[in-house]
Amino acid sequence: MTALDVAAKDLKLLVRDARFLATLGLFSATLVLILSVAFGPVFRDPAREASATIWASLFFAGVLGLTRSLAMESETGGADAIRLTGADPYAVYLGKAFASFVLLAAVFVLLLPLTSVFFDVGDLSILPALAGVAVLALVGYAAWGTMFAALARGLPARELLLSVLLFPSLVPLWIGAVKLTHALWDTGSLESVRDWLKVMAVMDVLGLALAAWLFEAIQEAGE
């Protein structure tokens, strides 16, 4: 079983769960709306407030997505079935991480125009750079989140443990995403905060490397 097979399986399960997808989209959009009203009606620093809003919304949406993935694994016994196929553990991890990345990317595509409209920030010229920042942030989120979700699977308080592990681990990644997005929406340039690109890249590589080292042991511990 390849990583693409695992990703396709997880994405099919998510697509079939239309109620969850609708809830996730509505929750994320509502959070953007609530924060735009809380910061308004006159924004002091629209770029800063908008960048904090979109990444806070994505963070909480990601927690919901990972929590739902944990629940589906428990309900269907999917993780046990995949292990019985003899699939390479790291391929399983990469497939699940890719599925999480696709889900987060879809939420980002939904929230970006909403945030731009509600806060009146951004233009099309910065879209490629903003997409690059999003890829760096979401790859890291998927990498760390998938590993922690596997670690928490099967535990009584798995949702709580997942949140406790994610919050401190992703602080550098999320600070970088907010600062880079703020710079793009404020000045249209990343020059003043370019070092945060390196921080986010290191977080991405570290998450993927740790998973390559630990994921097999985490799988065996969950048996």
Side-chain angles (χ1 to χ4, degrees):
M1 197 172 197
T2 67
L4 288 178
D5 293 329
V6 176
K9 185 268 296 180
D10 282 7
L11 289 172
K12 285 177 183 177
L13 288 175
L14 285 170
V15 169
R16 289 173 185 170
D17 196 355
R19 286 180 298 178
F20 168 71
L21 292 179
T23 301
L24 184 65
L26 184 61
F27 167 79
S28 306
T30 301
L31 188 54
V32 170
L33 175 60
I34 290 172
L35 290 175
S36 69
V37 172
F39 285 126
V42 178
F43 301 116
R44 296 181 179 179
D45 188 344
R48 185 180 302 278
E49 292 156 0
S51 58
T53 294
I54 191 170
W55 289 110
S57 301
L58 274 163
F59 182 87
F60 290 114
V63 171
L64 283 179
L66 289 168
T67 300
R68 181 56 187 157
S69 295
L70 278 173
M72 286 194 298
E73 291 285 359
S74 299
E75 292 167 4
T76 64
D80 296 328
I82 290 174
R83 277 202 301 273
L84 291 174
T85 67
D88 178 67
Y90 194 58
V92 174
Y93 165 79
L94 289 177
K96 290 186 172 297
F98 181 73
S100 296
F101 172 81
V102 171
L103 178 64
L104 289 167
V107 176
F108 178 78
V109 170
L110 169 67
L111 296 186
L112 182 58
L114 292 177
T115 307
S116 296
V117 170
F118 289 156
F119 288 87
D120 192 23
V121 294
D123 56 66
L124 293 177
S125 65
I126 64 167
L127 194 55
L130 189 55
V133 171
V135 168
L136 274 177
L138 299 184
V139 165
Y141 197 163
W144 288 91
T146 302
M147 182 171 60
F148 289 146
L151 183 62
R153 189 179 66 85
L155 298 178
R158 55 182 179 268
E159 291 85 0
L160 177 61
L161 179 60
L162 177 61
S163 299
V164 169
L165 291 170
L166 272 177
F167 275 107
S169 302
L170 294 180
V171 165
L173 193 70
W174 242 236
I175 291 175
V178 171
K179 286 186 174 293
L180 291 165
T181 305
H182 171 242
L184 284 172
W185 274 339
D186 188 36
T187 66
S189 170
L190 295 175
E191 195 60 39
S192 60
V193 289
R194 186 174 296 276
D195 286 346
W196 281 102
L197 291 170
K198 300 175 185 176
V199 173
M200 293 174 70
V202 168
M203 288 294 296
D204 291 0
V205 172
L206 184 59
L208 293 169
L210 278 175
W213 180 37
L214 297 174
F215 195 75
E216 185 174 2
I218 291 172
Q219 268 197 328
E220 291 174 355
E223 293 181 357

